[in-house]
Amino acid sequence: MGKQLSPRSRRPDSLNFDASSGLKEYQFRWTEMVQNGDPSLGRRVSGGDYNLDSVVFSQGVKNDTVKSCKGVYAGKRHIWWLHRHIRSIIFTFVLVCFLFLLDSVMFSIFDSAILQDSLAPRKSIVTEKTTAYYDQEKGPVKMYHRLLRLASISLAKRDSEPRPSKFWKETYPQASLWRPCSNKRIFQAGKPRNSTGFILISANGGLNQQRVAVCNGVAVASLLNATIVIPNFLYSNVWKDPSQFSDIYQEENFLNVLKDDVNIVKELPPDLKSIDLGEIGSLITDADLSKEAMPHEFIKNVLPLLKRNGVVHFLGFGNRLGFDPLPFDLQRLRCKCNFHALKFVPKIQKVGSLLIKRIRKYNSARSVLDKQLLGDFISDVPSKEHNIIGSPSNYLAMHLRFEIDMVAYSMCEFGGGENERRELQAYREEHFPLVIKRLKKMKPLSPQELRKMGRCPLTPEEAALVLAGLGFKRGTYIYLAGSQIYGGRTRMHPLTSLYPNMVTKEDLLSPAELAPFRNFSSQLAALDFIACAAADVFAMTDSGSQLSSLVSGFRTYYGNGNAPILRPSKKRLAAILQENSSIGWSTFENRIEKMIEEGQKVHARALGRSIYRQPRCEECMCKHQ
């Protein structure tokens, strides 16, 4: 050995092999790999499996080259060494195989759906602070693959826990102190004896925009001492619904509830019907009024026309009456109109009651909310069959605003790569040419900046992560409201893989039951309104949505402190999800819970906020001590 280590030796150190020292070196390398968590051990990474035989024998090949110089004795010694340690080699090989098998079983139990998708080939990867996976043909679009895996593991553990999520209940008990009172007689100012003229309203948009226009019109009629005609609903090329007021709302209830507050007629007098209102200057479009105009604008610009011509026609009337400052009695009248005067027609209430009964597996009212929504189509007392149907089932309703028009208009990116960018740009050019024209004159914000600012609609994947972060179990029954989701099943996969018990009205109602509503999008939206308002928990994904706003207001007004609402802050959520690659699941849960609890705090309506969405104010509700 001394000669081999001397400077005169021609053979380098690396070729000086000894059988016993070689074994110690191999054992040391094996221990080091286990301690350092070598990804090649027990992981299904292509080409990464560590073959113990190849390690041992590759060393053997190198040393055989050297040992051949030593003669037959060295060869016999090598064979003797293999015989002596064959059991250790076999044991080590079996151990690695066992670890490999154990790893596969654990992944299949906790994350089978997600793992299968992660192993599928992906055509492109977009990397920001989160990694977006996009498979055009096979795999679902995923922006937060790691968090989805953690969510799946967490939900699997929660299935064995009896404790439900705390968010099935209102976070703050102060919510029960606020009670409805906008219909109390002590607040009635009385309708005017002498009318200044007639107000026509042709409301645009869908169900919820029209509902707001109706109640704003009632308030303006009261402000100008005018008589309002039952509103007309404009046909929209977007909604393609010919429904009129009496197809959706009970006309007689509307007249009866407001009869002491404002003059209402079903149609114009004969002498005014034939007048060309545009020619006489009585046609008022949205361009003629400021958005959320104050009362003085109506008094200055509209009242003179009304007195001169005896009639004015508001065409569109989208969000043309502001919220503050406004006289107390006008705010109260808005609330009374929205929460008491507008009741769905029996046709809608009847099918709406079928929805609720089939979701809950229970056939009687459980709250004031149910009676206000469904009237006589749901009983106060369970029928004899309720025992057959079973005990009530809790359910969560979610309004998922992820239609292609909203996605394209947002100018955000959602992990779909170049194909998605081309598709959304083509849609913008066809449907939003003014937006494209405006963007050419300015430097637009990047998709990353828009997301940080909270301007991007929540994806189904992000909605699923919020629910998982709040502790809702995999078996949670979820009613999904909304139109066609952009990306369809591919985009919905992250949500449905975590929460498979998801239904829509199309799942719960037969084709025959839905037939009277076909081609009437506003009437179909009314069914979604009922299912969301009556839910045990309502989750919105976009606070700017009219349906979400009106449903949350309805639940606040009639919920008696037992109608929780989940309002994620898109800006705060974006900041949390930016840490997708490193955040721990318990930290993620804590931050999601704090975000939702912040949105559930009980406080009076803030100045300028919608009274339809936030009715906790003295004009609408009474606070009991």
Side-chain angles (χ1 to χ4, degrees):
M1 293 296 289
K3 291 182 180 180
Q4 291 173 3
L5 294 174
S6 69
R8 292 175 301 211
S9 175
R10 294 182 182 179
R11 287 174 292 186
D13 247 1
S14 59
L15 295 179
N16 184 18
F17 175 78
D18 180 87
S20 59
S21 65
L23 180 60
K24 291 177 182 177
E25 178 187 7
Y26 169 72
Q27 290 173 333
F28 172 76
R29 289 175 58 195
W30 163 255
T31 305
E32 184 180 41
M33 283 189 293
V34 171
Q35 290 174 347
N36 293 337
D38 192 319
S40 63
L41 296 176
R43 295 287 179 194
R44 285 174 284 182
V45 180
S46 178
D49 290 337
Y50 203 92
N51 192 317
L52 296 181
D53 287 344
S54 66
V55 172
V56 175
F57 288 111
S58 64
Q59 283 281 17
V61 169
K62 290 180 183 179
N63 291 301
D64 281 346
T65 305
V66 180
K67 288 175 186 274
S68 62
C69 298
K70 288 189 172 185
V72 178
Y73 174 76
K76 289 182 178 180
R77 186 179 180 186
H78 180 63
I79 294 170
W80 170 83
W81 179 87
L82 284 175
H83 278 294
R84 181 179 179 184
H85 297 283
I86 189 67
R87 291 184 179 180
S88 299
I89 294 172
I90 293 173
F91 173 77
T92 305
F93 181 77
V94 171
L95 177 62
V96 172
C97 291
F98 173 75
L99 291 174
F100 180 88
L101 180 62
L102 181 63
D103 177 79
S104 301
V105 171
M106 293 299 290
F107 265 75
S108 65
I109 292 174
F110 290 115
D111 203 18
S112 58
I114 291 176
L115 184 59
Q116 288 168 6
D117 294 327
S118 68
L119 293 174
R122 294 181 172 90
K123 293 200 172 183
S124 67
I125 298 178
V126 181
T127 305
E128 299 171 4
K129 291 201 175 180
T130 61
T131 303
Y133 298 89
Y134 178 54
D135 185 347
Q136 300 175 33
E137 298 174 357
K138 297 180 181 179
V141 179
K142 296 180 181 179
M143 299 173 68
Y144 312 101
H145 186 269
R146 175 179 171 272
L147 277 176
L148 281 176
R149 183 174 63 83
L150 294 177
S152 181
I153 294 172
S154 175
L155 290 180
K157 292 178 180 177
R158 285 185 181 275
D159 283 344
S160 60
E161 298 176 0
R163 181 173 56 87
S165 169
K166 67 179 182 181
F167 289 95
W168 283 108
K169 303 288 185 182
E170 285 274 9
T171 303
Y172 300 96
Q174 300 93 315
S176 62
L177 299 178
W178 292 87
R179 303 294 175 85
C181 64
S182 65
N183 63 332
K184 302 297 183 183
R185 296 190 64 85
I186 57 173
F187 290 138
Q188 291 173 349
K191 63 184 179 181
R193 294 181 179 180
N194 300 316
S195 175
T196 54
F198 292 90
I199 288 180
L200 286 172
I201 290 180
S202 293
N204 61 8
L207 172 75
N208 302 290
Q209 292 92 328
Q210 291 168 347
R211 187 181 184 107
V212 170
V214 168
C215 293
N216 285 348
V218 167
V220 168
S222 178
L223 172 69
L224 303 180
N225 290 336
T227 298
I228 187 172
V229 181
I230 292 286
N232 175 59
F233 293 160
L234 292 174
Y235 180 85
S236 167
N237 288 327
V238 176
W239 300 103
K240 297 179 180 179
D241 185 353
S243 298
Q244 289 302 316
F245 186 94
S246 59
D247 297 317
I248 299 174
Y249 301 111
Q250 298 176 30
E251 214 171 69
E252 292 305 318
N253 184 75
F254 182 73
L255 294 168
N256 184 58
V257 170
L258 299 175
K259 69 180 188 299
D260 296 325
D261 298 280
V262 64
N263 290 310
I264 307 174
V265 295
K266 293 186 178 182
E267 57 184 17
L268 280 175
D271 59 314
L272 294 177
K273 284 183 178 180
S274 58
I275 296 177
D276 187 335
L277 299 181
E279 187 175 329
I280 65 173
S282 282
L283 185 63
I284 302 173
T285 68
D286 283 354
D288 301 317
L289 288 169
S290 304
K291 187 177 181 180
E292 298 191 355
M294 290 294 103
H296 66 83
E297 188 170 336
F298 289 94
I299 293 171
K300 179 182 178 181
N301 300 326
V302 179
L303 186 57
L305 286 175
L306 190 61
K307 288 182 175 179
R308 186 180 72 212
N309 300 327
V311 59
V312 293
H313 182 190
F314 291 107
L315 187 63
F317 207 58
N319 297 321
R320 285 303 178 266
L321 179 62
F323 291 100
D324 294 294
L326 210 67
F328 181 96
D329 58 332
L330 292 187
Q331 295 283 41
R332 179 205 59 80
L333 188 56
R334 277 170 143 178
C335 285
K336 187 175 182 179
C337 171
N338 183 52
F339 298 115
H340 296 275
L342 293 179
K343 301 292 183 187
F344 292 124
V345 293
K347 167 188 169 183
I348 294 174
Q349 288 183 328
K350 180 179 179 180
V351 178
S353 69
L354 289 178
L355 268 180
I356 302 304
K357 290 173 185 176
R358 288 170 186 173
I359 295 172
R360 290 181 179 162
K361 303 176 179 63
Y362 198 72
N363 59 13
S364 64
R366 293 171 58 189
S367 66
V368 176
L369 263 171
D370 292 349
K371 293 298 293 182
Q372 291 297 326
L373 290 165
L374 302 172
D376 294 333
F377 288 94
I378 192 163
S379 64
D380 294 316
V381 181
S383 66
K384 293 180 180 179
E385 291 114 7
H386 85 277
N387 288 325
I388 300 174
I389 298 174
S391 58
S393 297
N394 292 340
Y395 77 99
L396 180 149
M398 176 188 292
H399 184 216
L400 194 56
R401 288 289 280 117
F402 201 71
E403 299 88 353
I404 189 169
D405 58 337
M406 187 171 188
V407 170
Y409 192 82
S410 72
M411 304 298 295
C412 298
E413 292 182 358
F414 302 92
E418 187 59 33
N419 271 17
E420 177 192 280
R421 284 190 284 271
R422 283 198 300 265
E423 184 178 31
L424 295 181
Q425 180 62 18
Y427 188 91
R428 281 189 284 267
E429 290 173 355
E430 181 181 354
H431 295 87
F432 307 127
L434 294 179
V435 174
I436 299 297
K437 186 178 180 180
R438 186 173 71 245
L439 289 174
K440 290 180 180 178
K441 298 179 181 179
M442 56 184 289
K443 183 181 179 182
L445 295 172
S446 70
Q448 294 82 6
E449 291 173 316
L450 290 170
R451 188 169 294 281
K452 286 180 182 178
M453 296 168 68
R455 295 187 182 179
C456 299
L458 263 62
T459 66
E461 177 185 12
E462 291 167 335
L465 289 173
V466 170
L467 293 182
L470 296 176
F472 287 98
K473 296 185 178 181
R474 188 185 297 275
T476 300
Y477 200 92
I478 299 176
Y479 178 88
L480 185 66
S483 303
Q484 297 296 320
I485 301 301
Y486 172 62
R489 291 184 179 180
T490 297
R491 180 65 72 170
M492 285 292 294
H493 182 268
L495 176 56
T496 54
S497 64
L498 291 183
Y499 293 98
N501 291 339
M502 186 169 295
V503 295
T504 64
K505 54 185 174 292
E506 288 78 13
D507 298 319
L508 295 166
L509 299 172
S510 69
E513 290 164 340
L514 279 171
F517 301 93
R518 296 296 182 193
N519 303 319
F520 298 102
S521 60
S522 291
Q523 296 181 43
L524 287 170
L527 296 178
D528 278 339
F529 185 101
I530 289 171
C532 289
D536 295 276
V537 177
F538 174 60
M540 62 170 70
T541 60
D542 178 36
S543 58
S545 159
Q546 284 280 18
L547 174 65
S548 293
S549 295
L550 293 179
V551 166
S552 62
F554 207 87
R555 289 172 64 83
T556 298
Y557 192 78
Y558 284 116
N560 195 28
N562 296 310
I565 302 163
L566 310 180
R567 298 186 183 93
S569 163
K570 291 187 287 187
K571 186 175 181 179
R572 289 181 65 174
L573 182 60
I576 296 171
L577 293 175
Q578 266 194 322
E579 301 176 32
N580 166 57
S581 61
S582 59
I583 191 171
W585 184 250
S586 60
T587 302
F588 178 81
E589 286 181 315
N590 290 336
R591 292 177 66 178
I592 292 294
E593 287 184 4
K594 287 179 181 178
M595 175 186 70
I596 295 300
E597 287 171 350
E598 183 70 24
Q600 290 183 329
K601 285 185 176 179
V602 178
H603 50 73
R605 181 182 70 93
L607 193 69
R609 296 291 185 178
S610 169
I611 208 160
Y612 305 118
R613 179 185 174 185
Q614 298 180 3
R616 286 194 187 108
C617 58
E618 59 181 354
E619 298 95 330
C620 290
M621 303 182 74
C622 299
K623 187 176 181 181
H624 297 265
Q625 299 299 328

